[in-house]
Amino acid sequence: MKDKNNKLAIHMLTAMVLGIAVGLVFMAIREHLGSASPAWQTINNLLFQDITASGAESAIGLFYLCGQLFIRSLQLVIVPMVFCSIVIAIGNITDAATLGRVSLKTFGLFLLTSFSALILAGVVGLLFYKAGTFNTVIEGIAASSGSTGSNPLNVILNIIPSNIGSTFSVNTSVLAVVFLAVSCGLCMNNLHLGKDSAISHGCKEISDVIVVFLNFVVEKFGPVAIFMLLCRTFATYGITYLRPALSYVVITVALLLLFLFIGYPLILALLTHLNPIVFIRKIFRVVVFGFSTSSSAATLPLNIDTNVKQLGVDNQIASYVLPLGMTINMDGTAIMQVIATLFLAGVGGYSVSVGQLVIIMLLALIASAGTPAAPGAGAIILFTILSGVGFTGEAAMMGYALILAINRPIEMLVTSLNCVGDSVAAITVARSEGKLDEQVYNG
C-alpha cells in the first residue's frame, strides 16, 4: 500500500511539473501569436476553450472537457461524503464528554491557525500598503462586480437551512450539510443508536461505495487530469494581466508559501512535538492535488486517506475534523482576501488605519468560513469584504475585475494551504486524544 501511495504521489508530481511546463510553452505561443490571431484561436478552440461559454458552440476544448469531467466526478460525491463521514464520526462517539472535548479542540485549532494566518497577512500587507506598493495604476480593465455582495453575517444565517432537499441538491451549501450531519449524529448519540443502527449502517455502506469510486477516479484519471488542468490554466493565463498587479501576486504567493512550508510545520512541532519534516514529505501529495484541482472538496478524499494511512490519524478523528475543516477552516483564503483588500484599497485611493485593518481581518475570517470549497470561490466572496468596508469605488472595482482575471493560480495555492491546515488540526487533535499512531506517522 505504501508503494502504491508513493507511486501515485510521484505520478501526480510529474503531472504537475509537466502541466506547468507545457502550459508555459503554450503561454509563450499565445503571446507570440497574439490572443486574437486566427492561429491561436484555432489552438484555443481545439484544446483550451470553455465549451460552456457564449460563442463556443463549435469549440472542442479537449483539455477543458477532460479536466471538468474529472472535477465533476469528484464533486459528485461531496454532499453524501461529508454528510456520511460526519454522521458516522459523531454517531460512533458514545461518550458525550469525548465528543465535546474533540469539538472544542478542533474549533480551537481552527481559530489558532486562522488568527495566525490573518495576523501574518495583516501585518505584512499593511507594511506594503503604507510603503505605497499597492498604488498601482490600472488601465483598460472593465469594471466588474462579484456575485456575492451581501452582509458577511449571512454566512451564520445560512448555516441552518430552511429546506433539507435544496441543501442536498447543491454543492454550495456544504456548511448547512455539516450542520445537518452534526445534528443527526448528536441525535443518534442521544438515542443511543450506536454502530448497529440502520442509519449508521446505511452511512457506512454509502461511505464505502464512495471510497471505492474515488480511489478509482483518482488513481486512474488523476495524473492525466492534473496535467490537463494545469496546462490549460497557464496556457490561457495572459502575461498582460499580470503586470499591473505583480505586487499583489508576488506578496500573496510569498505569504502562502511561507505559511505552508514554515507556519504549519512550526505550529505542528510546537503543539505535538512531532517531526515536521515527515509531515511535509507525506502531505505533499495533498498539496499537489489541491493545487491542481483548486478545490478543497475535491481534495478531501485524498486528504482523509493520507491522514489515516500515511500520518496515523484515527479514522474517526479524521472523518470528523477534515470535512468540518473543509467548510470553515480557510486559512489560505483569509490570507488572500486580506492582501487583495489592501491591494484594492491602494488602487482605489482609500486610507486604511489599524482599526480598519482589524475589521478587514474579521470580515475575512467570517467570509472565508462561508467560502464554498470550489475553484475560484475565494475571489468571488472577496466582494463581501469590499462591501463591508466600503471599497466599492470605480477604481477599486476595476482592480477587483483584474483580480478575478488573474487569481486562478493564487486560488490553486490557497487550496493547498486550506487542506494542509485541516490536516494539522486533525493530527493535533488525534495526538491529544491518544489516537495518533506514531509508528505510522514516522514510518
Side-chain angles (χ1 to χ4, degrees), residues 15 21 42 63-64 68 93 136 192 198 234 251 253 266 269 286 317 373 388 394 407 411 425:
T42 300
F63 280 34
Y64 173 84
Q68 288 302 306
I93 300 177
T136 308
H192 305 291
F234 282 87
I251 292 169
V253 168
L266 184 60
V286 174
I317 298 292
E394 183 179 356
N407 218 52
E411 290 274 6

Side-chain angles (χ1 to χ4, degrees), residues 195-353:
K195 298 180 181 180
D196 297 326
S197 67
I199 295 177
S200 183
H201 276 300
C203 288
K204 180 65 169 58
E205 290 176 356
I206 292 173
S207 181
D208 290 342
V209 171
I210 290 172
V211 168
V212 172
F213 172 78
L214 289 173
N215 284 339
F216 177 79
V217 171
V218 172
E219 291 173 9
K220 300 301 181 183
F221 304 106
V224 175
I226 285 172
F227 168 79
M228 291 186 169
L229 286 166
L230 287 176
C231 183
R232 178 182 180 272
T233 295
F234 282 87
T236 58
Y237 181 62
I239 296 175
T240 306
Y241 289 116
L242 178 59
R243 291 181 184 135
L246 186 60
S247 56
Y248 160 71
V249 173
V250 171
I251 292 169
T252 305
V253 168
L255 287 179
L256 291 173
L257 290 175
L258 179 67
F259 206 76
L260 179 61
F261 292 111
I262 297 180
Y264 280 137
L266 184 60
I267 292 173
L268 185 70
L270 290 174
L271 294 179
T272 66
H273 305 292
L274 295 169
N275 186 345
I277 305 300
V278 174
F279 172 72
I280 294 173
R281 175 171 56 84
K282 292 189 174 184
I283 203 65
F284 192 70
R285 67 172 185 163
V286 174
V287 173
V288 172
F289 197 83
F291 183 80
S292 305
T293 61
S294 190
S295 170
S296 297
T299 312
L300 178 62
L302 183 65
N303 205 7
I304 292 176
D305 181 79
T306 301
N307 274 267
V308 173
K309 297 178 181 178
Q310 298 288 305
L311 295 168
V313 178
D314 179 75
N315 185 60
Q316 198 174 75
I317 298 292
S319 297
Y320 174 66
V321 175
L322 294 176
L324 188 63
M326 181 197 73
T327 61
I328 63 175
N329 188 39
M330 303 281 189
D331 302 335
T333 305
I335 290 175
M336 181 273 292
Q337 289 174 341
V338 168
I339 301 299
T341 302
L342 290 171
F343 164 71
L344 295 176
V347 170
Y350 296 99
S351 61
V352 178
S353 64

Side-chain angles (χ1 to χ4, degrees), residues 19 22-23 26 44-49 60-69 224-225 227-233 235:
V22 175
F26 276 109
N44 187 57
N45 286 335
L46 179 63
L47 298 178
F48 308 122
Q49 178 63 46
I60 297 175
L62 181 63
F63 280 34
Y64 173 84
L65 186 63
C66 293
Q68 288 302 306
L69 287 174
V224 175
F227 168 79
M228 291 186 169
L229 286 166
L230 287 176
C231 183
R232 178 182 180 272
T233 295

